Amino acid sequence: MIDLTDKIAVVTGGAQGIGQAVAETLARRGANVVVADLQVEKAETVAQEITTSTGNRAIAVQVDVSDSESAKAMIDAAIAEFDRVDILVNNAGITRDNLIMRMSESEFDLVININLKGAFNCTKAVIRKMMKQRSGRVINMASISGVTGQAGQTNYSSSKAGLIGFTKALAKEVGSRGITVNAVAPGFIETALTVDLPKEIKETGIELTPLGRFGQPQDVANAVAFLSSDEAAFITGEVLTVDGGLVM
C-alpha cells in the first residue's frame, strides 16, 4: 500500500474535481495537505473534511497561481505551517474553448497564464526548498489534449503540451537532487470541466475509449498518489496517461 505518512503535499486547484480527489487521496495515504485554490471558502470546506475524515492536518490557502507573488505566499504559508513541502501537485487549470477564428487574445492568455505559467510560478516558489532537502515530488496535471491536440482548444492544448515540455525539462534540471518531476494526462474525466460538453462529444469520447466509459477523479488521484510515493522513486520525466486507453 502506498504510504505517504508525514509527507507534506500542496495541491493547487484542490477545492473541487480532480484536485479535491487528489488532496483527499494523499491525506488518506498519510500526508498532511495544503488545499490551495482561488475559491478559498470551498478549499476550507475540503480541508476541514480531510481533517475530520483522516485525522491528518489540512489547511486551506487562497492562491491565484497566475500571480507569482500569490504562488510564493502559498508556499510560504505551507512552510510556516508544516516546515517543509515534499509534494507539489500543479493541478489548477481552466478551459476557454473556442475555434481559433473566434478565440479572443484574452481567452488564449488566460488559459496559458493559469495552466502553464501557474505551474511555473508554483514550482519556482518551492523548488529551492526541495533542492535543499534533496528530495521532492512535482506532479503536473497535463491532459490528452496536450498529447494529441483537440479542435477548439488551441489555448488549452498549447498549455498542456507546454506543461509536458516543462515537466521533461525540469526533470533533467533537478534529478540530481533527488527530485522527480512527472505529469499525469487525464482523458475524459467526469468533472465540472466536462459536465457541460455536448452530448454528441461525450458519446464519441466513450465510443473511442477502449474501457467504454468516462473516468472518475479518483482514477487520476490514484495515479498522482503513486507518483508521489517512494514506489515511484525511479520514475521521472514521465507522462502517465489516465484515459481508459483513448490515446494508446
Side-chain angles (χ1 to χ4, degrees):
M1 178 178 174
I2 292 171
D3 184 4
L4 301 175
T5 300
D6 295 331
K7 299 294 186 183
I8 309 302
V10 175
V11 182
T12 68
Q16 61 186 341
I18 290 174
Q20 180 179 349
V22 167
E24 292 171 346
T25 299
L26 298 183
R28 286 198 301 270
R29 301 298 189 180
N32 299 310
V33 181
V34 177
V35 182
D37 205 286
L38 189 61
Q39 302 180 77
V40 69
E41 291 183 0
K42 287 186 177 181
E44 288 170 348
T45 298
V46 173
Q48 184 175 5
E49 289 173 351
I50 286 173
T51 299
T52 301
S53 63
T54 70
N56 292 327
R57 294 163 65 195
I59 64 169
V61 175
Q62 186 172 36
V63 64
D64 174 0
V65 298
S66 68
D67 180 81
S68 60
E69 291 301 316
S70 182
K72 183 179 182 299
M74 172 191 70
I75 296 300
D76 288 345
I79 292 172
E81 180 73 21
F82 298 111
D83 196 43
R84 61 186 290 124
V85 174
D86 301 294
I87 301 159
L88 171 65
V89 183
N90 286 311
N91 169 77
I94 63 166
T95 58
R96 291 292 185 273
D97 295 351
N98 221 331
L99 297 175
I100 193 167
M101 66 187 74
R102 298 173 183 163
M103 185 178 293
S104 67
E105 185 176 354
S106 63
E107 286 174 328
F108 188 90
D109 289 347
L110 183 63
V111 171
I112 295 294
N113 285 339
I114 292 176
N115 296 6
L116 180 56
K117 188 181 177 185
F120 165 80
N121 287 336
C122 296
T123 304
K124 185 172 182 181
V126 79
I127 202 68
R128 190 182 299 273
K129 182 75 170 177
M130 287 184 173
M131 292 178 76
K132 288 181 178 179
Q133 296 168 182
R134 302 192 71 86
S135 66
R137 300 282 187 267
V138 178
I139 297 137
N140 299 315
M141 198 60 64
S143 168
I144 60 166
S145 292
V147 177
T148 65
Q150 180 65 42
Q153 290 192 324
T154 52
N155 49 5
Y156 186 76
S157 294
S158 296
S159 71
K160 296 302 186 177
L163 198 54
I164 289 171
F166 175 85
T167 297
K168 293 177 179 292
L170 183 62
K172 291 182 177 181
E173 285 189 23
V174 300
S176 64
R177 298 299 183 96
I179 302 166
T180 67
V181 188
N182 292 288
V184 175
F188 286 105
I189 308 294
E190 290 186 0
T191 69
L193 289 181
T194 59
V195 69
D196 292 327
L197 286 175
K199 181 180 178 181
E200 58 271 20
I201 292 180
K202 290 183 179 180
E203 291 175 348
T204 299
I206 291 172
E207 182 180 341
L208 293 174
T209 301
L211 291 185
R213 63 175 177 87
F214 272 29
Q216 298 298 318
Q218 189 63 55
D219 295 317
V220 182
N222 291 339
V224 173
F226 168 66
L227 291 173
S228 300
S229 71
D230 290 342
E231 283 83 350
F234 201 56
I235 299 173
T236 196
E238 184 59 65
V239 182
L240 177 57
T241 55
V242 182
D243 64 353
L246 181 61
V247 300
M248 66 177 167

